[in-house]
Amino acid sequence: MVAGTPRIFVSHLAGVPVFDPYGDQVGRVRDLVAMLRVGRRPPRLLGLVVEVLSRRRIFLPMTRVTGVETGQVITTGVLNMRRFEQRPTERLVLGELLDRRVRLVETGEEVTVLDVAIQQLPARRDWEIDKVFVRKGKGGALRRKGEALTVEWSAVTGFSLEEHGQGAESLLATFERLRPADLANVLHHLSPKRRAEVAAALDDDRLADVLEELPDDDQVEILGKLKEERAADVLEAMDPDDAADLLSDLPEADKERLLALMRPDEAADVRRLLSYEERTAGGLMTTEPLVLRPDATVADALARVRQQDLSPALAAQVYVCRPPDETPTGKYLGTVHFQRLLREPPFTLVSSLVDSDLPPLAPDTALPAMTSYLAAYNMVAAPVVDETGSLLGAVTVDDVLDHLLPEDWRETEFEEAPHVEATPGKPPAGKPAAGEPAHG
């Protein structure tokens, strides 16, 4: 890149794709790595944390970045696939610098960092953080109403000090469009302090979705740092089977205390799941499948299937039962598959479409039998019915996979990757890879 490169605010780089010289995407930017320097010298930008297609996070030195343009980063094509490990002298720009409270050197006034800008030095391949976008005020309402201004890096102080109670609003804003599994990956790679701060800033529903995608240790850690009333609210927002799995990892006293704080109907579902063995249909099922009465129509069923927060597996079929239609239901009559609903007139009664030949699972069905059932019948979910004929819930293929994979599979997914070619493309002629040592 040449002198006069425009200044780039780092929030605009979060999540942008990274391409090799041949136009093939190799990953996405998840953070930037900087090194603070003594005095008021602007920090040097060392490189980017890039999440490659296998979900491993690697370090991409800035010396191997050949272009930072609107919505994309271009590399030389040479990538070191070693997993990124942060060094003690390094700072994650998005994860650690945003939302910090620092002070203006001239007035001593406290301000909150909303963003920082980077710029390439003239006639060099080095990059620096040269500007800081701040808002006056200590947070809360003042943070929204206070004056916002962009100042030189040397005009603020306090970045090197440890801060307690650091906010997370600006960090979350950079990742607001991430899927829960991707945001879980972001949280997993933050320090425990920042992980707790970000979790505290998420609303209950968003945090519930993210917790369901985190390794067990991270789930327990985050839940333990929430106030008990809020922890109970988050558990209520989780799918009952995921909430039960999380509570089963807690000491008995903590589990009972949180269950007592939950709404009685929500707690009853979770207690029911906890009463079954973990690797059985009763222990794996969700208690919130789509249940319709026999007099419901195809139009009613499709309206329920359209619910935005419904998982694809649960939306693949509806279960027809006699009242009551909350689990445990009245007599289970059968399943209607989504494809069948699409082929029938809207006024058709679902009771006339049920697949009554498909045998349901008993709540004590073991994991191998569930796996065989889903494979044999080409199903993504299966009904769980007790000895009285009542529908208790449904087992979905994703829950079965969770228990078929190694216990630490989420941790492995975040930390490890399958074998990947280390050089997605050769460097263009005249642009050899810089001889920078491997990071981590």
Side-chain angles (χ1 to χ4, degrees), residues 279 365-374 400 404:
R279 297 171 73 85
T365 304
L367 183 62
M370 282 184 277
T371 306
S372 299
Y373 178 100
L374 293 173
V400 172
L404 286 176

Side-chain angles (χ1 to χ4, degrees), residues 14-28:
V16 304
V18 179
F19 296 95
D20 66 17
Y22 305 100
D24 294 325
Q25 184 175 339
V26 297
R28 287 186 178 273

Side-chain angles (χ1 to χ4, degrees), residues 263-317:
R263 293 197 303 268
D265 57 332
E266 298 283 355
D269 284 342
V270 176
R271 287 184 187 277
R272 183 148 50 91
L273 292 168
L274 288 169
S275 69
Y276 296 105
E277 292 293 330
E278 182 180 0
R279 297 171 73 85
T280 64
L284 269 63
M285 68 183 178
T286 175
T287 57
E288 299 176 346
L290 287 180
V291 178
L292 291 173
R293 299 186 181 188
D295 58 352
T297 65
V298 167
D300 296 328
L302 290 176
R304 295 283 300 279
V305 168
R306 289 191 195 100
Q307 293 177 12
Q308 187 174 359
D309 57 350
L310 199 64
S311 71
L314 285 180
Q317 59 275 304

Side-chain angles (χ1 to χ4, degrees), residues 156-172:
V156 294
T157 184
F159 277 103
S160 60
L161 301 177
E162 182 177 356
E163 181 181 7
H164 299 284
Q166 183 177 350
E169 290 83 356
S170 298
L171 172 61
L172 289 177

Side-chain angles (χ1 to χ4, degrees), residues 422-435:
T423 55
K426 297 179 180 179
K431 292 187 178 181

